[in-house]
Every structure is written in structure tokens, then in C-alpha cells.
mmCIF file of all heavy atoms in Angstrom:
data_model
loop_
_atom_site.group_PDB
_atom_site.id
_atom_site.type_symbol
_atom_site.label_atom_id
_atom_site.label_comp_id
_atom_site.label_asym_id
_atom_site.label_seq_id
_atom_site.Cartn_x
_atom_site.Cartn_y
_atom_site.Cartn_z
ATOM 1 N N GLY M 1 -91.789 16.128 -62.028
ATOM 2 C CA GLY M 1 -92.369 15.701 -63.270
ATOM 3 C C GLY M 1 -91.730 16.431 -64.405
ATOM 4 O O GLY M 1 -91.557 17.665 -64.362
ATOM 5 N N VAL M 2 -91.511 15.732 -65.547
ATOM 6 C CA VAL M 2 -90.913 16.307 -66.600
ATOM 7 C C VAL M 2 -91.688 16.003 -67.900
ATOM 8 O O VAL M 2 -92.046 14.896 -68.132
ATOM 9 C CB VAL M 2 -89.344 15.720 -66.905
ATOM 10 C CG1 VAL M 2 -88.760 16.300 -68.204
ATOM 11 C CG2 VAL M 2 -88.553 16.041 -65.723
ATOM 12 N N TYR M 3 -91.900 17.100 -68.688
ATOM 13 C CA TYR M 3 -92.795 16.960 -70.010
ATOM 14 C C TYR M 3 -92.101 17.729 -71.036
ATOM 15 O O TYR M 3 -91.845 18.928 -70.871
ATOM 16 C CB TYR M 3 -94.148 17.422 -69.732
ATOM 17 C CG TYR M 3 -95.048 17.301 -70.882
ATOM 18 C CD1 TYR M 3 -95.519 16.042 -71.329
ATOM 19 C CD2 TYR M 3 -95.393 18.429 -71.685
ATOM 20 C CE1 TYR M 3 -96.310 15.944 -72.499
ATOM 21 C CE2 TYR M 3 -96.193 18.292 -72.782
ATOM 22 C CZ TYR M 3 -96.669 17.134 -73.142
ATOM 23 O OH TYR M 3 -97.414 16.939 -74.351
ATOM 24 N N MET M 4 -91.901 17.084 -72.183
ATOM 25 C CA MET M 4 -91.335 17.850 -73.372
ATOM 26 C C MET M 4 -92.422 18.060 -74.292
ATOM 27 O O MET M 4 -93.232 17.215 -74.608
ATOM 28 C CB MET M 4 -90.302 16.878 -73.996
ATOM 29 C CG MET M 4 -89.148 16.547 -73.148
ATOM 30 S SD MET M 4 -88.180 17.893 -72.645
ATOM 31 C CE MET M 4 -87.431 18.475 -74.118
ATOM 32 N N LEU M 5 -92.528 19.302 -74.797
ATOM 33 C CA LEU M 5 -93.514 19.735 -75.685
ATOM 34 C C LEU M 5 -93.511 18.965 -76.993
ATOM 35 O O LEU M 5 -92.458 18.793 -77.613
ATOM 36 C CB LEU M 5 -93.508 21.289 -75.947
ATOM 37 C CG LEU M 5 -94.329 22.085 -74.930
ATOM 38 C CD1 LEU M 5 -93.772 22.065 -73.517
ATOM 39 C CD2 LEU M 5 -94.444 23.572 -75.487
ATOM 40 N N GLU M 6 -94.696 18.553 -77.487
ATOM 41 C CA GLU M 6 -94.752 17.914 -78.789
ATOM 42 C C GLU M 6 -95.003 18.991 -79.910
ATOM 43 O O GLU M 6 -95.361 20.116 -79.582
ATOM 44 C CB GLU M 6 -95.948 16.914 -78.802
ATOM 45 C CG GLU M 6 -95.724 15.878 -77.848
ATOM 46 C CD GLU M 6 -96.951 14.990 -77.686
ATOM 47 O OE1 GLU M 6 -97.844 15.148 -78.527
ATOM 48 O OE2 GLU M 6 -97.089 14.107 -76.649
ATOM 49 N N GLN M 7 -94.910 18.629 -81.155
ATOM 50 C CA GLN M 7 -95.049 19.550 -82.254
ATOM 51 C C GLN M 7 -96.517 19.686 -82.510
ATOM 52 O O GLN M 7 -97.075 19.307 -83.600
ATOM 53 C CB GLN M 7 -94.371 19.088 -83.499
ATOM 54 C CG GLN M 7 -92.878 19.066 -83.318
ATOM 55 C CD GLN M 7 -92.340 20.561 -83.126
ATOM 56 O OE1 GLN M 7 -92.686 21.502 -83.842
ATOM 57 N NE2 GLN M 7 -91.402 20.694 -82.102
ATOM 58 N N ARG M 8 -97.263 20.296 -81.583
ATOM 59 C CA ARG M 8 -98.741 20.620 -81.914
ATOM 60 C C ARG M 8 -99.085 21.808 -81.014
ATOM 61 O O ARG M 8 -98.298 22.327 -80.168
ATOM 62 C CB ARG M 8 -99.536 19.358 -81.431
ATOM 63 C CG ARG M 8 -99.417 18.976 -79.963
ATOM 64 C CD ARG M 8 -100.334 17.727 -79.681
ATOM 65 N NE ARG M 8 -100.312 17.345 -78.270
ATOM 66 C CZ ARG M 8 -101.003 17.931 -77.355
ATOM 67 N NH1 ARG M 8 -101.937 18.838 -77.669
ATOM 68 N NH2 ARG M 8 -101.015 17.493 -76.123
ATOM 69 N N GLU M 9 -100.301 22.158 -81.119
ATOM 70 C CA GLU M 9 -100.747 23.379 -80.317
ATOM 71 C C GLU M 9 -101.264 22.942 -79.001
ATOM 72 O O GLU M 9 -101.698 21.890 -78.787
ATOM 73 C CB GLU M 9 -101.835 24.132 -81.141
ATOM 74 C CG GLU M 9 -101.316 24.727 -82.461
ATOM 75 C CD GLU M 9 -102.529 25.565 -83.046
ATOM 76 O OE1 GLU M 9 -103.681 25.467 -82.624
ATOM 77 O OE2 GLU M 9 -102.235 26.173 -84.163
ATOM 78 N N TYR M 10 -101.045 23.915 -77.996
ATOM 79 C CA TYR M 10 -101.399 23.693 -76.613
ATOM 80 C C TYR M 10 -102.125 24.935 -76.126
ATOM 81 O O TYR M 10 -102.112 25.967 -76.647
ATOM 82 C CB TYR M 10 -100.156 23.390 -75.735
ATOM 83 C CG TYR M 10 -99.452 22.177 -75.922
ATOM 84 C CD1 TYR M 10 -98.349 22.174 -76.834
ATOM 85 C CD2 TYR M 10 -99.783 21.034 -75.208
ATOM 86 C CE1 TYR M 10 -97.604 20.911 -76.954
ATOM 87 C CE2 TYR M 10 -99.081 19.903 -75.397
ATOM 88 C CZ TYR M 10 -98.023 19.814 -76.213
ATOM 89 O OH TYR M 10 -97.319 18.663 -76.391
ATOM 90 N N SER M 11 -102.881 24.620 -74.947
ATOM 91 C CA SER M 11 -103.297 25.848 -74.112
ATOM 92 C C SER M 11 -102.462 25.839 -72.872
ATOM 93 O O SER M 11 -101.809 24.866 -72.488
ATOM 94 C CB SER M 11 -104.838 25.627 -73.762
ATOM 95 O OG SER M 11 -104.988 24.492 -73.038
ATOM 96 N N VAL M 12 -102.524 26.908 -72.189
ATOM 97 C CA VAL M 12 -101.784 26.975 -70.910
ATOM 98 C C VAL M 12 -102.211 25.965 -69.872
ATOM 99 O O VAL M 12 -101.348 25.301 -69.254
ATOM 100 C CB VAL M 12 -101.951 28.426 -70.337
ATOM 101 C CG1 VAL M 12 -101.239 28.526 -68.987
ATOM 102 C CG2 VAL M 12 -101.253 29.451 -71.269
ATOM 103 N N ASP M 13 -103.440 25.843 -69.705
ATOM 104 C CA ASP M 13 -104.019 24.894 -68.759
ATOM 105 C C ASP M 13 -103.607 23.415 -69.140
ATOM 106 O O ASP M 13 -103.305 22.662 -68.235
ATOM 107 C CB ASP M 13 -105.543 25.014 -68.774
ATOM 108 C CG ASP M 13 -105.962 26.338 -68.053
ATOM 109 O OD1 ASP M 13 -105.156 26.978 -67.337
ATOM 110 O OD2 ASP M 13 -107.174 26.715 -68.278
ATOM 111 N N GLU M 14 -103.528 23.171 -70.480
ATOM 112 C CA GLU M 14 -103.194 21.822 -70.914
ATOM 113 C C GLU M 14 -101.780 21.509 -70.520
ATOM 114 O O GLU M 14 -101.398 20.381 -70.043
ATOM 115 C CB GLU M 14 -103.443 21.655 -72.346
ATOM 116 C CG GLU M 14 -103.073 20.293 -72.875
ATOM 117 C CD GLU M 14 -103.301 20.121 -74.347
ATOM 118 O OE1 GLU M 14 -103.566 21.187 -75.040
ATOM 119 O OE2 GLU M 14 -103.090 19.061 -74.934
ATOM 120 N N LEU M 15 -100.873 22.587 -70.742
ATOM 121 C CA LEU M 15 -99.444 22.244 -70.357
ATOM 122 C C LEU M 15 -99.187 21.979 -68.976
ATOM 123 O O LEU M 15 -98.522 21.119 -68.540
ATOM 124 C CB LEU M 15 -98.647 23.480 -70.843
ATOM 125 C CG LEU M 15 -98.394 23.580 -72.337
ATOM 126 C CD1 LEU M 15 -97.662 24.964 -72.597
ATOM 127 C CD2 LEU M 15 -97.592 22.524 -72.909
ATOM 128 N N ILE M 16 -99.907 22.833 -68.082
ATOM 129 C CA ILE M 16 -99.750 22.678 -66.680
ATOM 130 C C ILE M 16 -100.374 21.274 -66.210
ATOM 131 O O ILE M 16 -99.789 20.579 -65.357
ATOM 132 C CB ILE M 16 -100.512 23.852 -65.934
ATOM 133 C CG1 ILE M 16 -99.748 25.192 -66.227
ATOM 134 C CG2 ILE M 16 -100.483 23.627 -64.397
ATOM 135 C CD1 ILE M 16 -100.486 26.389 -65.619
ATOM 136 N N LYS M 17 -101.475 20.974 -66.841
ATOM 137 C CA LYS M 17 -102.110 19.666 -66.532
ATOM 138 C C LYS M 17 -101.155 18.535 -66.850
ATOM 139 O O LYS M 17 -100.956 17.599 -66.031
ATOM 140 C CB LYS M 17 -103.392 19.613 -67.199
ATOM 141 C CG LYS M 17 -104.196 18.253 -66.856
ATOM 142 C CD LYS M 17 -105.458 18.114 -67.600
ATOM 143 C CE LYS M 17 -106.218 16.886 -67.324
ATOM 144 N NZ LYS M 17 -107.451 16.751 -68.036
ATOM 145 N N LYS M 18 -100.495 18.628 -68.053
ATOM 146 C CA LYS M 18 -99.622 17.454 -68.472
ATOM 147 C C LYS M 18 -98.532 17.264 -67.419
ATOM 148 O O LYS M 18 -98.187 16.117 -67.097
ATOM 149 C CB LYS M 18 -99.089 17.801 -69.896
ATOM 150 C CG LYS M 18 -100.000 17.790 -71.038
ATOM 151 C CD LYS M 18 -100.315 16.319 -71.347
ATOM 152 C CE LYS M 18 -101.054 16.133 -72.676
ATOM 153 N NZ LYS M 18 -101.473 14.745 -72.958
ATOM 154 N N VAL M 19 -97.766 18.336 -67.114
ATOM 155 C CA VAL M 19 -96.612 18.075 -66.186
ATOM 156 C C VAL M 19 -97.094 17.871 -64.806
ATOM 157 O O VAL M 19 -96.435 17.130 -64.030
ATOM 158 C CB VAL M 19 -95.727 19.322 -66.304
ATOM 159 C CG1 VAL M 19 -96.323 20.535 -65.687
ATOM 160 C CG2 VAL M 19 -94.361 18.963 -65.756
ATOM 161 N N ASP M 20 -98.240 18.294 -64.409
ATOM 162 C CA ASP M 20 -98.815 18.136 -63.035
ATOM 163 C C ASP M 20 -99.134 16.582 -62.932
ATOM 164 O O ASP M 20 -99.036 16.055 -61.814
ATOM 165 C CB ASP M 20 -100.007 18.995 -62.866
ATOM 166 C CG ASP M 20 -100.539 18.808 -61.403
ATOM 167 O OD1 ASP M 20 -99.712 18.827 -60.468
ATOM 168 O OD2 ASP M 20 -101.780 18.708 -61.227
ATOM 169 N N GLU M 21 -99.702 16.001 -64.016
ATOM 170 C CA GLU M 21 -100.035 14.553 -63.948
ATOM 171 C C GLU M 21 -98.713 13.719 -63.711
ATOM 172 O O GLU M 21 -98.792 12.685 -63.028
ATOM 173 C CB GLU M 21 -100.656 14.136 -65.215
ATOM 174 C CG GLU M 21 -102.111 14.704 -65.380
ATOM 175 C CD GLU M 21 -102.797 14.434 -66.698
ATOM 176 O OE1 GLU M 21 -101.928 14.048 -67.682
ATOM 177 O OE2 GLU M 21 -103.983 14.583 -66.841
ATOM 178 N N LEU M 22 -97.638 14.116 -64.354
ATOM 179 C CA LEU M 22 -96.377 13.412 -64.251
ATOM 180 C C LEU M 22 -95.838 13.613 -62.774
ATOM 181 O O LEU M 22 -95.364 12.640 -62.226
ATOM 182 C CB LEU M 22 -95.278 13.853 -65.173
ATOM 183 C CG LEU M 22 -95.756 13.698 -66.659
ATOM 184 C CD1 LEU M 22 -94.723 14.358 -67.682
ATOM 185 C CD2 LEU M 22 -95.797 12.068 -66.958
ATOM 186 N N LEU M 23 -96.057 14.805 -62.202
ATOM 187 C CA LEU M 23 -95.610 15.000 -60.770
ATOM 188 C C LEU M 23 -96.486 14.147 -59.863
ATOM 189 O O LEU M 23 -95.977 13.512 -58.814
ATOM 190 C CB LEU M 23 -95.758 16.472 -60.406
ATOM 191 C CG LEU M 23 -95.543 16.831 -58.905
ATOM 192 C CD1 LEU M 23 -94.096 16.457 -58.511
ATOM 193 C CD2 LEU M 23 -95.823 18.329 -58.633
ATOM 194 N N TYR M 24 -97.736 14.004 -60.163
ATOM 195 C CA TYR M 24 -98.642 13.111 -59.307
ATOM 196 C C TYR M 24 -98.158 11.699 -59.360
ATOM 197 O O TYR M 24 -98.216 10.959 -58.386
ATOM 198 C CB TYR M 24 -100.136 13.287 -59.937
ATOM 199 C CG TYR M 24 -101.060 12.339 -59.202
ATOM 200 C CD1 TYR M 24 -101.563 12.640 -57.939
ATOM 201 C CD2 TYR M 24 -101.474 11.169 -59.813
ATOM 202 C CE1 TYR M 24 -102.370 11.741 -57.317
ATOM 203 C CE2 TYR M 24 -102.385 10.210 -59.331
ATOM 204 C CZ TYR M 24 -102.782 10.607 -57.922
ATOM 205 O OH TYR M 24 -103.650 9.724 -57.292
ATOM 206 N N VAL M 25 -97.700 11.219 -60.552
ATOM 207 C CA VAL M 25 -97.210 9.840 -60.731
ATOM 208 C C VAL M 25 -96.007 9.670 -59.760
ATOM 209 O O VAL M 25 -95.828 8.627 -59.104
ATOM 210 C CB VAL M 25 -96.879 9.527 -62.169
ATOM 211 C CG1 VAL M 25 -96.200 8.121 -62.279
ATOM 212 C CG2 VAL M 25 -98.160 9.522 -63.064
ATOM 213 N N ALA M 26 -95.064 10.683 -59.835
ATOM 214 C CA ALA M 26 -93.893 10.596 -58.936
ATOM 215 C C ALA M 26 -94.315 10.468 -57.518
ATOM 216 O O ALA M 26 -93.608 9.673 -56.712
ATOM 217 C CB ALA M 26 -93.008 11.797 -59.206
ATOM 218 N N LYS M 27 -95.221 11.222 -57.129
ATOM 219 C CA LYS M 27 -95.668 11.146 -55.652
ATOM 220 C C LYS M 27 -96.383 9.878 -55.347
ATOM 221 O O LYS M 27 -96.163 9.333 -54.229
ATOM 222 C CB LYS M 27 -96.623 12.385 -55.435
ATOM 223 C CG LYS M 27 -95.877 13.725 -55.335
ATOM 224 C CD LYS M 27 -96.800 14.872 -54.893
ATOM 225 C CE LYS M 27 -96.001 16.042 -54.500
ATOM 226 N NZ LYS M 27 -95.263 15.866 -53.285
ATOM 227 N N LYS M 28 -97.124 9.428 -56.334
ATOM 228 C CA LYS M 28 -97.971 8.180 -56.106
ATOM 229 C C LYS M 28 -97.009 6.928 -55.865
ATOM 230 O O LYS M 28 -97.352 6.010 -55.193
ATOM 231 C CB LYS M 28 -98.922 7.923 -57.321
ATOM 232 C CG LYS M 28 -99.692 6.767 -57.179
ATOM 233 C CD LYS M 28 -100.664 6.575 -58.350
ATOM 234 C CE LYS M 28 -101.524 5.345 -58.258
ATOM 235 N NZ LYS M 28 -102.363 5.171 -59.496
ATOM 236 N N HIS M 29 -95.794 7.007 -56.518
ATOM 237 C CA HIS M 29 -94.887 5.915 -56.485
ATOM 238 C C HIS M 29 -93.765 6.222 -55.498
ATOM 239 O O HIS M 29 -92.618 5.714 -55.848
ATOM 240 C CB HIS M 29 -94.485 5.592 -57.913
ATOM 241 C CG HIS M 29 -95.509 4.983 -58.780
ATOM 242 N ND1 HIS M 29 -96.473 5.696 -59.364
ATOM 243 C CD2 HIS M 29 -95.766 3.681 -59.087
ATOM 244 C CE1 HIS M 29 -97.198 4.999 -60.170
ATOM 245 N NE2 HIS M 29 -96.876 3.648 -59.923
ATOM 246 N N GLY M 30 -94.043 6.856 -54.474
ATOM 247 C CA GLY M 30 -93.041 6.876 -53.306
ATOM 248 C C GLY M 30 -92.306 8.159 -53.212
ATOM 249 O O GLY M 30 -91.400 8.330 -52.328
ATOM 250 N N ARG M 31 -92.576 9.091 -54.113
ATOM 251 C CA ARG M 31 -91.924 10.390 -53.991
ATOM 252 C C ARG M 31 -90.293 10.250 -54.211
ATOM 253 O O ARG M 31 -89.903 9.174 -54.434
ATOM 254 C CB ARG M 31 -92.123 11.201 -52.675
ATOM 255 C CG ARG M 31 -93.676 11.455 -52.528
ATOM 256 C CD ARG M 31 -93.965 12.207 -51.284
ATOM 257 N NE ARG M 31 -95.281 12.649 -51.177
ATOM 258 C CZ ARG M 31 -96.323 11.957 -50.867
ATOM 259 N NH1 ARG M 31 -96.157 10.724 -50.499
ATOM 260 N NH2 ARG M 31 -97.520 12.501 -50.850
ATOM 261 N N ASN M 32 -89.619 11.358 -54.062
ATOM 262 C CA ASN M 32 -88.159 11.485 -54.157
ATOM 263 C C ASN M 32 -87.684 10.867 -55.520
ATOM 264 O O ASN M 32 -86.784 10.022 -55.510
ATOM 265 C CB ASN M 32 -87.559 10.703 -52.945
ATOM 266 C CG ASN M 32 -86.086 11.028 -52.839
ATOM 267 O OD1 ASN M 32 -85.484 11.980 -53.407
ATOM 268 N ND2 ASN M 32 -85.300 10.070 -52.165
ATOM 269 N N ARG M 33 -88.328 11.138 -56.640
ATOM 270 C CA ARG M 33 -87.985 10.677 -57.917
ATOM 271 C C ARG M 33 -88.443 11.533 -58.991
ATOM 272 O O ARG M 33 -89.121 12.437 -58.785
ATOM 273 C CB ARG M 33 -88.618 9.249 -58.079
ATOM 274 C CG ARG M 33 -90.149 9.255 -58.128
ATOM 275 C CD ARG M 33 -90.693 7.849 -58.106
ATOM 276 N NE ARG M 33 -90.369 7.256 -56.784
ATOM 277 C CZ ARG M 33 -90.234 5.958 -56.612
ATOM 278 N NH1 ARG M 33 -90.168 5.131 -57.656
ATOM 279 N NH2 ARG M 33 -89.906 5.467 -55.548
ATOM 280 N N VAL M 34 -87.999 11.203 -60.192
ATOM 281 C CA VAL M 34 -88.257 11.936 -61.489
ATOM 282 C C VAL M 34 -89.131 11.070 -62.313
ATOM 283 O O VAL M 34 -88.779 9.973 -62.472
ATOM 284 C CB VAL M 34 -87.007 12.350 -62.165
ATOM 285 C CG1 VAL M 34 -87.357 13.088 -63.450
ATOM 286 C CG2 VAL M 34 -86.165 13.314 -61.349
ATOM 287 N N VAL M 35 -90.173 11.637 -62.891
ATOM 288 C CA VAL M 35 -91.032 10.898 -63.718
ATOM 289 C C VAL M 35 -91.194 11.765 -64.990
ATOM 290 O O VAL M 35 -91.646 13.021 -64.947
ATOM 291 C CB VAL M 35 -92.437 10.594 -63.184
ATOM 292 C CG1 VAL M 35 -93.378 9.911 -64.225
ATOM 293 C CG2 VAL M 35 -92.217 9.571 -62.031
ATOM 294 N N ASP M 36 -90.948 11.215 -66.280
ATOM 295 C CA ASP M 36 -91.277 11.993 -67.477
ATOM 296 C C ASP M 36 -92.391 11.332 -68.292
ATOM 297 O O ASP M 36 -93.010 10.294 -67.800
ATOM 298 C CB ASP M 36 -89.991 12.158 -68.351
ATOM 299 C CG ASP M 36 -89.527 10.699 -68.829
ATOM 300 O OD1 ASP M 36 -90.230 9.778 -68.718
ATOM 301 O OD2 ASP M 36 -88.331 10.633 -69.187
ATOM 302 N N GLU M 37 -92.749 11.814 -69.347
ATOM 303 C CA GLU M 37 -93.900 11.308 -70.134
ATOM 304 C C GLU M 37 -93.731 9.952 -70.782
ATOM 305 O O GLU M 37 -94.766 9.378 -71.198
ATOM 306 C CB GLU M 37 -94.327 12.409 -71.223
ATOM 307 C CG GLU M 37 -93.330 12.414 -72.417
ATOM 308 C CD GLU M 37 -92.294 13.472 -72.138
ATOM 309 O OE1 GLU M 37 -91.913 13.771 -71.053
ATOM 310 O OE2 GLU M 37 -91.851 14.168 -73.147
ATOM 311 N N PHE M 38 -92.449 9.551 -70.801
ATOM 312 C CA PHE M 38 -92.140 8.296 -71.435
ATOM 313 C C PHE M 38 -92.199 7.133 -70.298
ATOM 314 O O PHE M 38 -92.061 5.914 -70.636
ATOM 315 C CB PHE M 38 -90.835 8.254 -72.064
ATOM 316 C CG PHE M 38 -90.801 9.219 -73.207
ATOM 317 C CD1 PHE M 38 -89.951 10.330 -73.160
ATOM 318 C CD2 PHE M 38 -91.501 8.986 -74.377
ATOM 319 C CE1 PHE M 38 -89.974 11.345 -74.126
ATOM 320 C CE2 PHE M 38 -91.479 9.953 -75.363
ATOM 321 C CZ PHE M 38 -90.777 11.094 -75.268
#
């Protein structure tokens, strides 16, 4: 999962959650792939 930071404030948990959600999408759709926020 790949996530690029936006120009706003974050918390540590929010950052981990953002990229973890993208990793979950990659796994959900068959694994062995890259998923970004777009």
C-alpha cells in the first residue's frame, strides 16, 4: 500500500491507518500488487 501525505495535519495513528487501508485493498483484490490512494 502506498500513501502520499497531503498538506494538512495528521496524527501517527491516522497515518498508519491510511496506508494500512490501502494494503488491505491490495490483499482484498488478490495480493501480489501495489495499491495507492488514487
Side-chain angles (χ1 to χ4, degrees):
V2 175
Y3 179 75
M4 302 298 295
L5 270 68
E6 302 172 8
Q7 294 297 313
R8 64 180 182 84
E9 294 184 353
Y10 291 94
S11 67
V12 172
D13 291 338
E14 183 183 4
L15 285 176
I16 295 175
K17 182 180 179 182
K18 285 286 186 182
V19 70
D20 185 43
E21 289 174 348
L22 296 172
L23 174 61
Y24 174 77
V25 172
K27 285 184 170 293
K28 181 179 178 182
H29 289 81
R31 297 180 171 84
N32 191 23
R33 66 190 62 213
V34 175
V35 173
D36 61 16
E37 69 268 35
F38 299 110

